[in-house]
Amino acid sequence: MAATLKDYRGDVSTWCPGCGHFSVMAGIQKAAINLGLEPHQLAIVSGIGCSGKVSEYTRSYGFHTLHGRSLPVAQAVKLASSGMKVVASGGDGDGYGIGAGHFTHAARRNVDMTYVVMDNRIYGLTKGQTSPTSSQGFKSKTSPEGSGEREVKPLELALGAGASFIAQAFSGDIKGLTDLIQQAMEHPGFSLVNVFSPCVTFNKVNTYDFFKENLIDLSQVEGYDPSDKAQAYTQVIEHDGNLQGIIYKQERPAYHTFLDGYPETPIAFNDVSTEKSVLDQLWAEFK
């Protein structure tokens, strides 16, 4: 029988009622079901923060890594087990702060995987501090007079880094969110889905109502071509990143196709058994 949401859903314990992350996790699970994936065919690799709980709350293969380090692990999982669908999850602090270096290199490398970033423009798990995507002037526990730093622009960063699929979703639109994640998972290369996922407890500025009032749906923009990078930059800059939909999509070979001798059989399924005589020899050398 095909997998259902019941097969994917685990126990949730720490997210606040109304948190946008509930929708993001459901979107990942529903996208996997729509693609016909069984839980054992999906691996979710997460970083630290509220967003990091996705790998714990979803019943599939999961790896809860260090802060900002989900992408190196996720790329290793994909390259070692090419038949696995791999999704990395993180937050704006996790992905665009301490993990920003990994993000830019993963984007240009184009490993066949999906990165879902839950962008609530604040550090939620540590109780409401300014994050890399908090707007300049944003007031928080670490910037009571307003942040003096210019915010990171995820879409501009992804375009500049060379990501081959870039989309932006809103957790208040579960249908649109699920569709974008599904398309990202189907894309043969590195795909980013930046999701505006409101923190209802600590961010009283970037709320559900804020995004409903300010987001522009690119599917409604006449003549928009997501394969045109110049158009993508123009729309992103013109609307200050407040967009919803596929920002940019480029078909290009995934990273593993450039590796000489990359095995057809996933490395994870190779026979690693060793003759007892070899083990005895090693033991004799090191005991």
Short mmCIF file of all heavy atoms in Angstrom, two decimals, residues 91-128:
data_model
loop_
_atom_site.label_atom_id
_atom_site.label_comp_id
_atom_site.label_asym_id
_atom_site.label_seq_id
_atom_site.Cartn_x
_atom_site.Cartn_y
_atom_site.Cartn_z
N GLY A 91 16.85 26.72 9.38
CA GLY A 91 16.22 28.02 9.56
C GLY A 91 17.09 29.12 8.99
O GLY A 91 18.18 28.86 8.47
N ASP A 92 16.61 30.37 9.08
CA ASP A 92 17.37 31.48 8.52
C ASP A 92 18.68 31.70 9.28
O ASP A 92 19.70 32.04 8.68
CB ASP A 92 16.53 32.76 8.52
CG ASP A 92 15.76 32.99 9.80
OD1 ASP A 92 14.91 32.14 10.12
OD2 ASP A 92 15.98 34.00 10.47
N GLY A 93 18.68 31.50 10.57
CA GLY A 93 19.92 31.62 11.33
C GLY A 93 20.87 30.49 11.03
O GLY A 93 22.08 30.68 10.86
N ASP A 94 20.31 29.30 10.94
CA ASP A 94 21.08 28.09 10.65
C ASP A 94 21.68 28.12 9.25
O ASP A 94 22.86 27.85 9.06
CB ASP A 94 20.14 26.88 10.80
CG ASP A 94 20.84 25.55 10.63
OD1 ASP A 94 21.57 25.15 11.54
OD2 ASP A 94 20.64 24.91 9.58
N GLY A 95 20.86 28.50 8.27
CA GLY A 95 21.29 28.41 6.88
C GLY A 95 21.99 29.63 6.33
O GLY A 95 22.90 29.51 5.50
N TYR A 96 21.59 30.81 6.77
CA TYR A 96 22.15 32.04 6.21
C TYR A 96 23.08 32.76 7.18
O TYR A 96 23.59 33.83 6.88
CB TYR A 96 21.02 32.99 5.80
CG TYR A 96 20.01 32.35 4.87
CD1 TYR A 96 18.64 32.52 5.08
CD2 TYR A 96 20.43 31.57 3.79
CE1 TYR A 96 17.71 31.93 4.23
CE2 TYR A 96 19.51 30.97 2.95
CZ TYR A 96 18.15 31.16 3.16
OH TYR A 96 17.22 30.56 2.32
N GLY A 97 23.29 32.14 8.35
CA GLY A 97 24.23 32.67 9.32
C GLY A 97 25.46 31.79 9.36
O GLY A 97 26.34 31.85 8.49
N ILE A 98 25.51 30.89 10.35
CA ILE A 98 26.68 30.03 10.51
C ILE A 98 26.85 29.06 9.34
O ILE A 98 27.95 28.63 9.03
CB ILE A 98 26.59 29.26 11.85
CG1 ILE A 98 27.92 28.58 12.18
CG2 ILE A 98 25.44 28.27 11.84
CD1 ILE A 98 27.97 28.00 13.58
N GLY A 99 25.74 28.75 8.65
CA GLY A 99 25.83 27.81 7.53
C GLY A 99 25.91 28.45 6.16
O GLY A 99 25.83 27.76 5.14
N ALA A 100 26.10 29.77 6.10
CA ALA A 100 26.08 30.47 4.81
C ALA A 100 27.17 30.00 3.86
O ALA A 100 26.95 29.91 2.64
CB ALA A 100 26.21 31.98 5.04
N GLY A 101 28.33 29.70 4.38
CA GLY A 101 29.42 29.22 3.53
C GLY A 101 29.07 27.89 2.88
O GLY A 101 29.31 27.68 1.69
N HIS A 102 28.50 26.98 3.68
CA HIS A 102 28.10 25.70 3.12
C HIS A 102 27.01 25.88 2.07
O HIS A 102 26.97 25.18 1.07
CB HIS A 102 27.58 24.79 4.24
CG HIS A 102 28.63 24.35 5.21
ND1 HIS A 102 29.80 23.72 4.81
CD2 HIS A 102 28.70 24.45 6.56
CE1 HIS A 102 30.54 23.45 5.87
NE2 HIS A 102 29.90 23.90 6.94
N PHE A 103 26.11 26.84 2.32
CA PHE A 103 25.01 27.07 1.39
C PHE A 103 25.52 27.50 0.01
O PHE A 103 25.10 26.95 -1.02
CB PHE A 103 24.06 28.13 1.95
CG PHE A 103 23.02 28.59 0.98
CD1 PHE A 103 22.04 27.72 0.53
CD2 PHE A 103 23.02 29.89 0.49
CE1 PHE A 103 21.09 28.13 -0.39
CE2 PHE A 103 22.08 30.31 -0.42
CZ PHE A 103 21.10 29.43 -0.86
N THR A 104 26.39 28.47 -0.03
CA THR A 104 26.86 28.97 -1.33
C THR A 104 27.59 27.88 -2.13
O THR A 104 27.41 27.77 -3.35
CB THR A 104 27.80 30.18 -1.16
OG1 THR A 104 28.88 29.85 -0.30
CG2 THR A 104 27.04 31.36 -0.57
N HIS A 105 28.37 27.05 -1.45
CA HIS A 105 29.10 26.00 -2.16
C HIS A 105 28.19 24.85 -2.58
O HIS A 105 28.38 24.24 -3.64
CB HIS A 105 30.27 25.51 -1.32
CG HIS A 105 31.34 26.55 -1.13
ND1 HIS A 105 32.05 27.09 -2.17
CD2 HIS A 105 31.77 27.19 0.00
CE1 HIS A 105 32.91 28.00 -1.72
NE2 HIS A 105 32.75 28.08 -0.41
N ALA A 106 27.20 24.53 -1.76
CA ALA A 106 26.23 23.49 -2.14
C ALA A 106 25.44 23.93 -3.36
O ALA A 106 25.17 23.14 -4.27
CB ALA A 106 25.29 23.19 -0.98
N ALA A 107 25.10 25.22 -3.41
CA ALA A 107 24.33 25.75 -4.53
C ALA A 107 25.11 25.63 -5.84
O ALA A 107 24.59 25.18 -6.86
CB ALA A 107 23.95 27.20 -4.27
N ARG A 108 26.37 26.03 -5.82
CA ARG A 108 27.16 25.99 -7.06
C ARG A 108 27.54 24.56 -7.44
O ARG A 108 27.68 24.24 -8.62
CB ARG A 108 28.42 26.85 -6.93
CG ARG A 108 29.50 26.29 -6.02
CD ARG A 108 30.72 27.20 -5.94
NE ARG A 108 31.76 26.66 -5.07
CZ ARG A 108 32.69 25.79 -5.47
NH1 ARG A 108 32.71 25.37 -6.72
NH2 ARG A 108 33.60 25.34 -4.62
N ARG A 109 27.65 23.69 -6.44
CA ARG A 109 28.07 22.30 -6.70
C ARG A 109 26.96 21.51 -7.39
O ARG A 109 27.21 20.63 -8.19
CB ARG A 109 28.44 21.65 -5.36
CG ARG A 109 29.15 20.31 -5.48
CD ARG A 109 29.63 19.85 -4.12
NE ARG A 109 30.73 20.67 -3.64
CZ ARG A 109 30.79 21.28 -2.45
NH1 ARG A 109 29.76 21.17 -1.61
NH2 ARG A 109 31.83 21.99 -2.10
N ASN A 110 25.71 21.80 -7.04
CA ASN A 110 24.55 21.21 -7.70
C ASN A 110 24.37 19.72 -7.44
O ASN A 110 24.03 18.94 -8.35
CB ASN A 110 24.58 21.47 -9.22
CG ASN A 110 23.19 21.43 -9.84
OD1 ASN A 110 22.22 21.88 -9.23
ND2 ASN A 110 23.10 20.89 -11.04
N VAL A 111 24.56 19.32 -6.18
CA VAL A 111 24.21 17.95 -5.79
C VAL A 111 22.69 17.81 -5.87
O VAL A 111 21.95 18.73 -5.55
CB VAL A 111 24.73 17.64 -4.37
CG1 VAL A 111 24.22 16.29 -3.88
CG2 VAL A 111 26.25 17.66 -4.35
N ASP A 112 22.22 16.66 -6.29
CA ASP A 112 20.80 16.42 -6.48
C ASP A 112 20.09 16.24 -5.13
O ASP A 112 19.90 15.12 -4.64
CB ASP A 112 20.61 15.17 -7.36
CG ASP A 112 19.14 14.90 -7.66
OD1 ASP A 112 18.32 15.81 -7.45
OD2 ASP A 112 18.84 13.78 -8.10
N MET A 113 19.68 17.35 -4.54
CA MET A 113 19.00 17.33 -3.24
C MET A 113 18.19 18.61 -3.09
O MET A 113 18.30 19.53 -3.90
CB MET A 113 20.03 17.24 -2.11
CG MET A 113 21.07 18.34 -2.14
SD MET A 113 21.96 18.55 -0.60
CE MET A 113 20.68 19.29 0.42
N THR A 114 17.38 18.67 -2.05
CA THR A 114 16.53 19.83 -1.80
C THR A 114 16.85 20.43 -0.43
O THR A 114 17.03 19.70 0.55
CB THR A 114 15.04 19.44 -1.84
OG1 THR A 114 14.73 18.94 -3.15
CG2 THR A 114 14.13 20.62 -1.53
N TYR A 115 16.91 21.75 -0.38
CA TYR A 115 17.16 22.47 0.88
C TYR A 115 15.95 23.33 1.18
O TYR A 115 15.62 24.25 0.42
CB TYR A 115 18.41 23.34 0.73
CG TYR A 115 18.91 23.98 2.00
CD1 TYR A 115 18.73 23.40 3.25
CD2 TYR A 115 19.61 25.19 1.95
CE1 TYR A 115 19.21 23.98 4.40
CE2 TYR A 115 20.11 25.79 3.10
CZ TYR A 115 19.91 25.18 4.33
OH TYR A 115 20.39 25.77 5.47
N VAL A 116 15.27 23.03 2.27
CA VAL A 116 14.09 23.78 2.70
C VAL A 116 14.48 24.63 3.90
O VAL A 116 14.86 24.09 4.95
CB VAL A 116 12.92 22.85 3.07
CG1 VAL A 116 11.72 23.67 3.55
CG2 VAL A 116 12.53 21.99 1.88
N VAL A 117 14.43 25.95 3.74
CA VAL A 117 14.81 26.86 4.81
C VAL A 117 13.55 27.54 5.36
O VAL A 117 12.79 28.16 4.62
CB VAL A 117 15.79 27.94 4.32
CG1 VAL A 117 16.14 28.90 5.47
CG2 VAL A 117 17.05 27.29 3.78
N MET A 118 13.33 27.39 6.67
CA MET A 118 12.20 28.01 7.34
C MET A 118 12.63 29.38 7.85
O MET A 118 13.32 29.50 8.86
CB MET A 118 11.71 27.11 8.49
CG MET A 118 10.89 25.93 7.99
SD MET A 118 10.99 24.46 9.02
CE MET A 118 12.31 23.57 8.18
N ASP A 119 12.24 30.40 7.12
CA ASP A 119 12.71 31.76 7.34
C ASP A 119 11.65 32.55 8.13
O ASP A 119 10.66 33.01 7.57
CB ASP A 119 12.98 32.41 5.99
CG ASP A 119 13.57 33.81 6.10
OD1 ASP A 119 13.77 34.29 7.23
OD2 ASP A 119 13.83 34.42 5.04
N ASN A 120 11.89 32.69 9.44
CA ASN A 120 10.95 33.49 10.25
C ASN A 120 11.55 34.82 10.69
O ASN A 120 10.97 35.55 11.49
CB ASN A 120 10.46 32.70 11.47
CG ASN A 120 11.58 32.12 12.30
OD1 ASN A 120 12.70 32.65 12.30
ND2 ASN A 120 11.32 31.03 13.01
N ARG A 121 12.75 35.12 10.16
CA ARG A 121 13.42 36.40 10.38
C ARG A 121 13.70 36.69 11.85
O ARG A 121 13.73 37.85 12.28
CB ARG A 121 12.61 37.54 9.74
CG ARG A 121 12.47 37.39 8.23
CD ARG A 121 11.71 38.55 7.60
NE ARG A 121 11.72 38.44 6.14
CZ ARG A 121 11.13 39.31 5.32
NH1 ARG A 121 10.48 40.36 5.83
NH2 ARG A 121 11.18 39.15 4.02
N ILE A 122 13.93 35.60 12.60
CA ILE A 122 14.28 35.76 14.02
C ILE A 122 14.84 34.44 14.53
O ILE A 122 14.61 33.39 13.93
CB ILE A 122 13.04 36.17 14.86
CG1 ILE A 122 13.45 36.82 16.18
CG2 ILE A 122 12.10 34.98 15.09
CD1 ILE A 122 12.33 37.54 16.87
N TYR A 123 15.62 34.49 15.60
CA TYR A 123 16.03 33.26 16.27
C TYR A 123 14.93 32.89 17.26
O TYR A 123 14.73 33.57 18.27
CB TYR A 123 17.35 33.46 17.01
CG TYR A 123 18.58 33.43 16.14
CD1 TYR A 123 19.26 34.59 15.81
CD2 TYR A 123 19.07 32.22 15.63
CE1 TYR A 123 20.39 34.56 15.00
CE2 TYR A 123 20.19 32.19 14.82
CZ TYR A 123 20.85 33.36 14.52
OH TYR A 123 21.96 33.32 13.72
N GLY A 124 14.19 31.82 16.97
CA GLY A 124 13.07 31.44 17.81
C GLY A 124 13.43 30.56 18.98
O GLY A 124 12.99 30.79 20.11
N LEU A 125 14.24 29.51 18.72
CA LEU A 125 14.54 28.54 19.78
C LEU A 125 15.26 29.18 20.96
O LEU A 125 15.05 28.81 22.11
CB LEU A 125 15.39 27.40 19.21
CG LEU A 125 15.63 26.22 20.16
CD1 LEU A 125 14.32 25.50 20.44
CD2 LEU A 125 16.65 25.26 19.58
N THR A 126 16.09 30.19 20.68
CA THR A 126 16.83 30.86 21.76
C THR A 126 16.10 32.10 22.28
O THR A 126 16.69 32.95 22.93
CB THR A 126 18.25 31.24 21.28
OG1 THR A 126 18.16 31.93 20.03
CG2 THR A 126 19.11 29.99 21.10
N LYS A 127 14.83 32.20 21.94
CA LYS A 127 13.90 33.16 22.56
C LYS A 127 13.94 34.57 22.01
O LYS A 127 13.83 35.54 22.74
CB LYS A 127 14.11 33.18 24.09
CG LYS A 127 14.00 31.80 24.75
CD LYS A 127 12.63 31.21 24.54
CE LYS A 127 12.44 29.91 25.32
NZ LYS A 127 13.21 28.78 24.77
N GLY A 128 14.12 34.72 20.69
CA GLY A 128 13.85 35.99 20.05
C GLY A 128 14.98 36.98 19.89
O GLY A 128 14.88 38.12 20.36
#
